[in-house]
Amino acid sequence: MQKITTTVLKKMKQSGEKFTCLTAYDASFAIAQEEAGVEVILVGDSLGMVVKGQVSTLSVSMDEMVYHSANVARPCQKSLIMTDLPFASDITKEQTLANAARLMSEGGSHMVKIEGGALMLETIEFLSQRGVAVCSHLGLLPQSVYKMGGYRIQGRTKQEADQILSDAIALEHAGADILLLECVPAELAERVTSSVNVPVIGIGAGVNCDAQVLVCYDMLGLTHGTPASFVKNFLKDSDSIQDAFKSYVEQVKNGQFPGIEHSYS
Ligand code: KIV
């Protein structure tokens, strides 16, 4: 695998080659994912749930994100490292820039992910103009779980779908380098993906996104409780964790994952 940059990912979108993303929170998982050919490693604030055992992502602090980001970034040579800005670390654009700078300088991250649409436009533009690569997270926003009334599929009404599409286009114009769509109908994700020039990563968003992401523990069958219907256990038919990562990469690239059973209508 070549060294992955935003330029490489944009070229992959243009040529129709799908890329892969998985979460990692430590060096060992990051090495195994990079060796399997995972292009983007996400240090997700899902660590609040899968590492800390909390019920949501809300308790995750900036210090924790910096610590886990550094542990993931340290051994990686090729994958692009993307790190979440945790809950309430992005209230003002100046605060967001200062926190993004920490994730990059102390945490070794190449890109930050920020939840939110139209409300975040000014912030995305501010960061982008100052040289920070940004992924904008749309659809289900786990940091807004209490406001959204639970982990629910987004974009099912015409009004919600139109808002997500117009947010996606506006975020691209503001300077977002990647979009991430969580838990939206596959048809809406396809519309968004074909309406923007930047790559779109999907989770529970159907097969027609430019890339897919899963929480690594979920795709290894380690979900506490019932996994979401968009999750597939790749360890079930593999001999090792390394093989499960390779199988994920292969199945995303050849369009086998996600199937209809992992998608919403
Ligand atoms: O924190 C995370 O793991 C995420 C994924 C669910 C996309 O944001």
Side-chain angles (χ1 to χ4, degrees), residues 6 9-10 80-85 90 96-97 100 104 109-116 120-137 171-172 174-180 198-199 201:
T6 51
L9 298 177
K10 277 179 195 156
L80 185 142
I81 311 300
M82 168 157 84
T83 306
D84 269 330
L85 275 159
D90 52 7
T96 312
L97 178 62
M104 294 168 74
S109 187
H110 305 128
M111 175 179 280
V112 296
K113 178 159 79 60
I114 300 178
E115 292 188 15
M120 301 312 291
L121 284 173
E122 211 187 313
T123 299
I124 305 301
E125 190 169 25
F126 189 73
L127 264 62
S128 175
Q129 286 171 348
R130 283 156 184 80
V132 179
V134 180
C135 171
S136 283
H137 185 146
L171 286 161
E172 174 180 22
D177 300 276
I178 293 187
L179 304 177
L180 187 146
V198 292
I201 304 178

Side-chain angles (χ1 to χ4, degrees), residues 2 27 40 43 45 55 58 60 66-67 70 72 76 107 118 121-122 154 164 167 170 180 188 204 210 217 226 229 252:
Q2 62 180 316
V40 179
V43 187
D45 61 356
V55 291
L58 302 187
V60 178
V66 169
Y67 171 79
V72 166
C76 288
L121 284 173
E122 211 187 313
Q154 302 295 310
I164 290 173
D167 282 1
L180 187 146
L188 170 61
D210 301 305
Y217 292 129
T226 312
S229 58
V252 169

Side-chain angles (χ1 to χ4, degrees), residues 23 25 42 44-46 84 113 115 137 180 182 203 213 215:
T23 67
Y25 316 97
L42 169 63
D45 61 356
S46 50
D84 269 330
K113 178 159 79 60
E115 292 188 15
H137 185 146
L180 187 146
E182 179 163 359
I203 175 164
V213 61
V215 169

Side-chain angles (χ1 to χ4, degrees), residues 2-256:
Q2 62 180 316
K3 173 119 189 87
I4 304 299
T5 61
T6 51
T7 309
V8 171
L9 298 177
K10 277 179 195 156
K11 281 196 183 137
M12 288 176 86
K13 176 180 177 110
Q14 282 158 10
S15 68
E17 186 187 342
K18 291 186 188 290
F19 64 88
T20 54
C21 178
L22 282 174
T23 67
Y25 316 97
D26 67 35
S28 301
F29 273 75
I31 291 167
Q33 291 177 7
E34 183 170 88
E35 283 175 0
V38 174
E39 282 92 352
V40 179
I41 301 182
L42 169 63
V43 187
D45 61 356
S46 50
L47 74 84
M49 296 153 103
V50 300
V51 177
K52 294 175 67 184
Q54 301 280 356
V55 291
S56 74
T57 61
L58 302 187
S59 73
V60 178
S61 68
M62 266 306 299
D63 284 349
E64 287 168 339
M65 292 311 297
V66 169
Y67 171 79
H68 286 280
S69 190
N71 292 344
V72 166
R74 202 168 291 124
C76 288
Q77 305 291 325
K78 295 183 175 159
S79 301
L80 185 142
I81 311 300
M82 168 157 84
T83 306
D84 269 330
L85 275 159
F87 178 61
S89 66
D90 52 7
I91 292 166
T92 66
K93 56 186 198 293
E94 290 80 9
Q95 177 203 22
T96 312
L97 178 62
N99 284 328
R102 275 197 73 194
L103 292 177
M104 294 168 74
S105 59
E106 297 172 50
S109 187
H110 305 128
M111 175 179 280
V112 296
K113 178 159 79 60
I114 300 178
E115 292 188 15
L119 183 68
M120 301 312 291
L121 284 173
E122 211 187 313
T123 299
I124 305 301
E125 190 169 25
F126 189 73
L127 264 62
S128 175
Q129 286 171 348
R130 283 156 184 80
V132 179
V134 180
C135 171
S136 283
H137 185 146
L138 295 170
L140 172 58
L141 308 178
Q143 291 173 10
S144 304
V145 60
Y146 294 115
K147 184 70 180 168
M148 286 182 152
Y151 295 101
R152 295 171 47 251
I153 301 157
Q154 302 295 310
R156 271 195 161 146
T157 65
K158 180 169 168 12
Q159 195 189 352
E160 273 182 17
D162 288 349
Q163 184 68 56
I164 290 173
L165 181 60
S166 70
D167 282 1
I169 293 168
L171 286 161
E172 174 180 22
H173 289 145
D177 300 276
I178 293 187
L179 304 177
L180 187 146
L181 277 179
E182 179 163 359
C183 283
V184 299
E187 191 250 314
L188 170 61
E190 187 174 358
R191 266 171 70 206
V192 172
T193 305
S194 61
S195 303
V196 295
N197 295 308
V198 292
V200 176
I201 304 178
I203 175 164
V207 73
N208 288 315
C209 298
D210 301 305
Q212 298 292 326
V213 61
L214 284 176
V215 169
C216 69
Y217 292 129
D218 285 345
M219 55 81 75
L220 295 173
L222 272 176
T223 310
H224 183 68
T226 312
S229 58
F230 57 76
V231 170
K232 176 169 175 176
N233 179 349
F234 286 83
L235 190 57
K236 217 165 66 184
D237 298 317
S238 302
D239 292 332
S240 64
I241 288 174
Q242 284 90 339
D243 280 351
F245 290 154
K246 283 185 196 147
S247 164
Y248 171 74
V249 169
E250 199 178 298
Q251 291 189 33
V252 169
K253 285 193 180 278
N254 68 21
Q256 209 180 322

